[in-house]
Amino acid sequence: MTDYSDREIRISRLLDAPRALVFQAWTTPEHVRHWWGPNGFTTTIHEMQLKPGGVWRFIMHGPDGRDYPNRVVFREIVANERLVYDHCEDVPVPSIQFEVTVLFLEEAGKTRLDMCMRLATAEMRERVVREFGALEGAQQNLERLSAYLRTM
């Protein structure tokens, strides 16, 4: 068995909402635009095709005015249970690419959301943590999701 832990960023959060609602918030553009991204960011969604091979293109607008174009290609979708996708910059030759697995786990009427981002190398993992604040940003993203779920 291969150990990928030095290439991964893992986060988990217990959300006070049923998993069908959490899945809906994660996969519906009208909802995603309200919470996606770290604190201070807004998101413009250009397309979101929720199917294997479907593309999700969006721009994260940073608080400093910088735009971050993103592209996701869905690999696997199991409604209310799991998403697996490839995520990269939405540019001709992306410098950062990674695979994401999101699990939506039922836990006493709430949802345990487990997310694993697997990068190509340990060095790439360290780069996204250092240069982009990936650990803190991912935690902020789930905090924003948690807050948004309370409005749904």
Side-chain angles (χ1 to χ4, degrees), residues 45-97:
I45 298 173
H46 295 290
E47 65 180 309
M48 183 185 249
Q49 305 165 339
L50 191 66
K51 63 182 182 180
V55 175
W56 171 22
R57 290 181 50 252
F58 61 96
I59 297 177
M60 293 172 46
H61 308 283
D64 61 356
R66 185 170 171 199
D67 287 339
Y68 300 87
N70 289 260
R71 181 176 64 241
V72 163
V73 177
F74 292 102
R75 293 167 141 199
E76 182 181 355
I77 299 162
V78 180
N80 305 325
E81 293 181 20
R82 178 177 51 252
L83 295 172
V84 180
Y85 54 84
D86 295 317
H87 191 151
C88 66
E89 302 158 291
D90 194 12
V91 296
V93 181
S95 66
I96 299 171
Q97 301 179 63

Side-chain angles (χ1 to χ4, degrees), residues 8-27:
E8 294 177 342
I9 297 171
R10 292 181 169 270
I11 60 170
S12 181
R13 183 173 185 106
L14 185 62
L15 300 165
D16 191 12
R19 69 183 186 164
L21 188 67
V22 176
F23 191 83
Q24 179 185 13
W26 194 284
T27 58

Side-chain angles (χ1 to χ4, degrees), residues 101-132:
T101 300
V102 183
L103 301 176
F104 302 82
L105 306 165
E106 175 71 28
E107 197 169 300
K110 298 180 180 183
T111 304
R112 168 76 54 195
L113 192 136
D114 286 337
M115 185 166 65
C116 176
M117 296 168 272
R118 183 177 295 161
L119 291 102
T121 65
E123 293 76 22
M124 183 61 69
R125 180 202 182 276
E126 289 309 309
R127 178 180 167 216
V128 300
V129 167
R130 184 181 61 253
E131 291 181 23
F132 297 102

